[in-house]
Amino acid sequence: MFFPEYRGRRLRRNHNLRRMVRETHLRVDDLIYPMFSAFGERIKKEIPSMPGIYQQSIDNIVAEAQEVHALGIPAVILFGIPECKDPLGQDAYDDEGIIQRTVRAIKEAVPELTVITDVCMCEYTDHGHCGVIREGDVDNDETLKLLAAEALSHARAGADIVAPSDMMDGRVAAIREILDANGFSDIPVMSYAVKYASAYYGPFRDAADSTPQFGDRRSYQMDPANRIEAFREAALDVQECADFLMVKPALAYLDIIRDIKDRFDLPLVCYNVSGEYSMIKAAAEKGWIDEDRVVMETLVGMKRAGADLIITYHAKQAAKLLGA
Ligand SMILES: [Zn+2]
């Protein structure tokens, strides 16, 4: 095929032709909406670095869950901000903890909405790390017991999927084992298999009040420079019976999303993280970009890279644009 006989522009001439040859489609079915559940009543506190995203008490989170369901979005993922934090993050695995109560309230009000729970310790520990601290670092094997207890407690509350985000070694197997032993063999594990130590998480830490009080998370989250290591991480989680794999963040890691999609046959999720959201929101506020178009281009780019599902703070906006 050579010019002038071949002309690529022939298939781009009008809207219908472009529709007919479009290779990638973003659908509302692909979207998962993250929400932050806070202790108290009638609380709706906007996160300064994330316009349109709130820390909310259960009454308000249930109302938003109904809105999300009405927009056709199939699932939400929940993060909790407990009343009290302590070194062992006890609210995380308390059957009356913030997430457990939130899950019960949402499942009662909107039973058709799939509720995914984030399973980690950093929102619940006073030191802000993702597990138990021993000698200045997170103790992997001790943390596994707490993560398993947390996942079980979420399942008991009615969670449809549990999503461990801690990056401890062996956690998928530990969670699978405790769920199976307690009659929850039908609850899938969505593993944050490939999670990088990223500066793009900055605004989330305001949202979840989970900034580490000392050090950072580089002893358990991955080095952004590494690609081959992502295959090892994903392969381990497949062996441990994960049902979904996740790559987090998304925008600076589209190559990793493609690599994981090509090598593994599990459904692949990417997390369009807080910093990615904040950058678009800030540029749009300044009038520098067309927000709607940049949002849709960003999300379709993640699908084109290989993501089957996208966790995104833009989910409601994207659902409205897809329905328009
Ligand atoms: Zn964490």
Side-chain angles (χ1 to χ4, degrees):
M1 294 198 294
F2 293 103
F3 176 82
E5 291 80 12
Y6 178 76
R7 291 175 184 267
R9 289 182 57 192
R10 276 185 205 125
L11 297 183
R12 299 180 208 130
R13 278 180 56 230
N14 61 47
H15 175 67
N16 258 349
L17 278 170
R18 290 191 295 272
R19 267 175 70 200
M20 291 164 69
V21 299
R22 186 159 294 144
E23 298 172 25
T24 308
H25 297 270
L26 181 71
R27 307 168 309 160
V28 69
D29 315 57
D30 307 326
L31 305 171
I32 299 170
Y33 184 60
M35 298 202 291
F36 298 96
S37 182
F39 183 84
E41 267 174 60
R42 289 189 296 282
I43 290 169
K44 187 166 180 172
K45 198 171 115 197
E46 192 170 45
I47 297 145
S49 50
M50 302 176 71
I53 304 296
Y54 301 85
Q55 289 184 355
Q56 301 180 96
S57 50
I58 290 174
D59 46 343
N60 284 323
I61 221 166
V62 165
E64 194 179 24
Q66 282 164 327
E67 182 195 350
V68 167
H69 176 59
L71 285 167
I73 297 166
V76 295
I77 182 165
L78 300 180
F79 299 88
I81 303 130
E83 183 181 24
C84 300
K85 303 192 182 210
D86 60 68
L88 294 175
Q90 296 185 56
D91 195 88
Y93 38 91
D94 182 340
D95 285 342
E96 291 304 315
I98 182 73
I99 281 297
Q100 290 79 355
R101 289 190 292 120
T102 308
V103 170
R104 286 197 290 268
I106 293 178
K107 289 308 292 185
E108 193 182 307
V110 214
E112 309 88 348
L113 185 67
T114 293
V115 174
I116 307 168
T117 55
D118 179 78
V119 175
C120 198
M121 300 307 298
C122 53
E123 298 130 72
Y124 308 94
T125 52
D126 52 6
H127 46 71
H129 277 285
C130 300
V132 183
I133 299 294
R134 189 155 295 170
E135 289 162 18
D137 196 7
V138 176
D139 183 303
N140 192 90
D141 299 10
E142 279 304 307
T143 300
L144 293 185
K145 296 173 195 161
L146 302 189
L147 293 168
E150 182 180 5
L152 176 60
S153 176
H154 291 179
R156 273 201 206 109
D160 297 294
I161 299 174
V162 293
S165 62
D166 49 280
M167 288 300 277
M168 295 303 121
D169 294 320
R171 92 278 208 199
V172 172
I175 289 171
R176 186 72 273 153
E177 191 183 340
I178 202 169
L179 290 178
D180 289 357
N182 287 275
F184 294 105
S185 54
D186 54 348
I187 299 294
V189 176
M190 179 184 285
S191 175
Y192 288 66
V194 179
K195 182 174 178 182
Y196 289 94
S198 172
Y200 282 95
Y201 304 149
F204 176 94
R205 291 179 185 170
D206 296 341
D209 299 333
S210 62
T211 306
Q213 298 304 300
F214 62 89
D216 54 43
R217 297 197 173 108
R218 288 179 226 203
S219 79
Y220 40 103
Q221 296 177 353
M222 283 175 52
D223 183 337
N226 288 2
R227 170 172 172 266
I228 310 297
E229 187 186 5
F231 308 154
R232 294 200 295 274
E233 283 290 348
L236 275 172
D237 286 3
V238 171
Q239 277 171 9
E240 293 178 26
C241 266
D243 299 280
F244 299 84
L245 297 176
M246 193 192 301
V247 173
K248 181 180 180 184
L251 204 52
Y253 300 85
L254 295 174
D255 58 328
I256 306 296
I257 293 172
R258 170 49 57 196
D259 282 333
I260 298 293
K261 181 65 183 172
D262 287 346
R263 278 180 171 71
F264 299 92
D265 56 11
L266 290 180
L268 181 60
V269 187
C270 74
Y271 200 138
N272 174 211
V273 301
S274 57
E276 299 167 16
Y277 175 85
S278 299
M279 290 194 305
I280 289 179
K281 284 291 183 184
E285 246 173 41
K286 282 184 170 285
W288 289 349
I289 56 169
D290 178 332
E291 180 178 337
D292 286 348
R293 288 190 58 198
V294 170
V295 165
M296 297 310 264
E297 187 175 331
T298 302
L299 297 178
V300 89
M302 290 167 188
K303 279 219 73 182
R304 194 190 62 239
D308 298 298
L309 296 163
I310 306 172
I311 301 175
T312 178
Y313 302 98
H314 300 293
K316 292 198 302 180
Q317 180 181 7
K320 287 175 196 161
L321 290 167
L322 287 167

